[in-house]
């Protein structure tokens, strides 16, 4: 096989702002190192939104990424106020890159509070990348009340935990920590935590523990060297990983991989830096390090090792762009920084890419289902109603609509019980949740709940209705605060 045919073709989107400057610099270094990759440049980002493509990518770009399975991308701008969704989030979700991996390591030549104190940092954050509030499913229930739905699913959580443990095992990592808020969100974060320990059982050689996310934030700042791999739900992972970027020198040193079973996306954590675009001031390190993650993902370890060593030598020789390095020392521009890395390449790589063949497309969407209870009972429903009346008045009007075998068990406002008992000091907004339960142990039916909803709609503005389920006799809903 000649060398050309051993190249792995990947999709590359240069991105907006500083994107083209840093991508050109990175690809120039890869080419100088003889990395066996072939690039198919695709159109994504601001210019494509401006042309009227609401997803921010052309259909040719979508086809190319789906065929090639790898997207190496620069940062992209989401037009503000136009109602379009972020191309970065869309790409991660549409292609099911369920795990976001970010590596944080102290780098010689990059001064931080921790490097000066002699505290080495070497950890990996794995953030769930699809679910949580990032579903972006939001509604104004009343003109005063916004609601965002937060999805945490069993299959989605198992997928990301499995990825975290497999990755830890492959890399000889010793500990995986789950960050969560299961003390407050017992259903959602509770499910994330429960599935974490289910998966952990299959990796007895790896220590598994969990930390509540607020405590985690404090511990990461005070004792960052005690963490190895940390896995988190999407939003908490977003915040914690930026905190970790700060620990190792800022966004200029934060690479990331969005990993899925079919498609993976490699990108820097930072944005398009419009304040410095076009001036060749940008630091290409985060994109470069994301590229190294991509090379390792593709089985090109020897190339990644060589390129990484050249970066480390460059940094430890004190060579830097404007955003870091010794104050008063000469800062290189993006291209000069890339040249310095090229000059330090020393051990040419030798691996061949893991997969060169075109990827077969799945014939249909994968539907993931992990658990089917033997008994599922609808025990009642939560009615979310708009009203500015007092709780007792609302309760009286609601109860007047009920029939034999139905009971109003609690009413809450912003999650705090205000009826049958509550505090006069609980301030209410104009949206109440009324919990209606059926006394029959067999529960009720969807039709019955909808019939009651029709009846109640004659009296109140219904904002939404949520079923109360019991799976195998276990309540599948939370209690109100104070219930
Ligand atoms: P930003 O990360 O672009 O910039 C924040 C600050 O960091 C700026 O002062 C910038 O000059 C500096 N900076 C960022 N990257 C740098 C680099 N490589 N070298 C030197 N300095 C660097 O964040 P901002 O300003 O909030 O967002 C700008 C745009 O980027 C927005 O349109 C946003 O939507 C987009 N964005 C895209 C992301 C992606 O494509 N994954 C991620 C984050 C933001």
């Amino acid at each position: 096989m000649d060398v050309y045919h051993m190249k792995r073709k990947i999709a590359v989107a240069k991105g907006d702002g500083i994107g083209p400057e840093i991508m050109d610099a990175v690809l120039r270094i890869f080419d100088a190192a003889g990395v066996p990759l072939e690039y198919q440049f695709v159109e994504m980002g601001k210019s494509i939104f401006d042309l009227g493509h609401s997803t921010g990518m052309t259909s040719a770009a979508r086809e190319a990424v789906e065929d090639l399975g790898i997207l190496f991308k620069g940062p992209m701008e989401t037009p503000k106020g136009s109602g379009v969704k972020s191309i970065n989030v869309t790409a991660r979700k549409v292609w099911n890159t369920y795990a976001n991996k970010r590596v944080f390591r102290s780098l010689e030549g990059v001064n931080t509070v921790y490097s000066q104190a002699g505290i080495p940092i070497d950890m990996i954050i794995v953030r769930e990348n699809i679910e949580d509030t990032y579903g972006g499913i939001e509604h104004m229930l009343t003109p005063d009340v916004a609601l965002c739905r937060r999805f945490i699913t069993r299959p989605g959580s198992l997928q990301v935990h499995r990825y975290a443990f497999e990755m830890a095992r492959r890399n000889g990592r010793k500990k995986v920590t789950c960050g969560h808020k299961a003390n407050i969100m017992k259903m959602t974060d509770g499910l994330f935590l429960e599935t974490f320990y289910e998966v952990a059982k299959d990796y007895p050689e790896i220590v598994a523990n969990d930390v509540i996310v607020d405590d985690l934030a404090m511990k990461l700042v005070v004792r960052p060297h005690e963490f190895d791999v940390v896995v988190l739900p999407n939003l908490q992972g977003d915040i914690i990983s930026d905190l970790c970027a700060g620990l190792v020198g800022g966004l200029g040193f934060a690479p990331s991989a969005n990993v899925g079973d079919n498609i993976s996306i490699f990108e820097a954590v930072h944005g398009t830096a419009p304040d410095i675009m076009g001036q060749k001031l940008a630091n290409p390190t985060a994109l470069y390090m994301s590229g190294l993650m991509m090379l390792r993902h593709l089985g090109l370890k020897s190339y990644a090792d060589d390129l990484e060593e050249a970066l480390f030598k460059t940094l430890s020789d004190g060579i830097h762009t404007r955003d870091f390095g010794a104050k008063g020392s000469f800062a290189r521009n993006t291209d000069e920084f890339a040249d310095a890395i090229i000059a330090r390449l020393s051990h040419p790589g030798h691996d061949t890419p893991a997969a060169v063949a075109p990827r077969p497309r799945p014939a249909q969407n994968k539907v993931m289902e992990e658990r089917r209870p033997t008994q599922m009972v609808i025990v009642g429903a939560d009615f979310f109603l708009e009203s500015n009346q007092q709780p007792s008045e609302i309760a009286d009007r609601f109860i007047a609509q009920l029939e034999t075998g139905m009971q109003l068990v609690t009413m809450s406002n912003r999650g705090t019980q205000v009826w049958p008992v509550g505090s006069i000091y609980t301030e209410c907004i104009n949206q109440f949740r009324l919990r209606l339960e059926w006394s029959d142990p067999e529960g009720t039916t969807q039709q019955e709940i909808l019939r009651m909803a029709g009846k109640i709609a004659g009296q109140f503005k219904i904002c939404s209705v949520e079923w109360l389920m019991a799976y195998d006799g276990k309540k599948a809903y939370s209690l109100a605060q104070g219930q």
Side-chain angles (χ1 to χ4, degrees), residues 18 22 73-78 80 88 92 251-252 267-276 281-284 323:
I18 58 168
I22 55 175
K73 72 177 273 296
M76 290 173 192
E77 182 183 331
T78 306
K80 289 196 181 78
N88 306 304
R92 289 171 210 158
L251 286 177
E267 62 181 340
V269 170
H270 63 72
T272 59
D275 50 334
I276 57 167
L281 295 174
N283 175 3
D323 53 306

Side-chain angles (χ1 to χ4, degrees), residues 445-478:
T445 61
Q446 299 196 87
Q447 288 82 348
E448 184 66 353
I449 289 176
L450 291 174
R451 187 182 67 77
M452 280 309 291
K455 199 169 169 193
I456 290 160
Q459 288 291 317
F460 294 96
K461 155 83 194 318
I462 302 180
C463 304
S464 74
V465 181
E466 206 72 52
W467 280 208
L468 300 176
M469 300 298 304
Y471 299 127
D472 291 333
K474 204 171 150 202
K475 278 185 179 157
Y477 49 90
S478 61

Side-chain angles (χ1 to χ4, degrees), residues 370-412:
E370 296 287 339
R371 188 180 267 183
R372 192 134 266 278
T374 46
Q375 199 200 23
M376 294 193 273
V377 176
I378 305 174
V379 295
D382 277 347
F383 288 84
F384 294 81
L385 307 178
E386 181 173 346
S387 175
N388 54 13
Q389 289 184 305
Q390 286 297 300
S392 58
E393 290 174 65
I394 298 170
D396 289 346
R397 281 175 60 206
F398 190 85
I399 290 167
Q401 305 300 313
L402 302 186
E403 298 165 10
T404 318
M406 299 174 193
Q407 195 195 354
L408 175 65
V409 291
T410 179
M411 188 193 314
S412 64

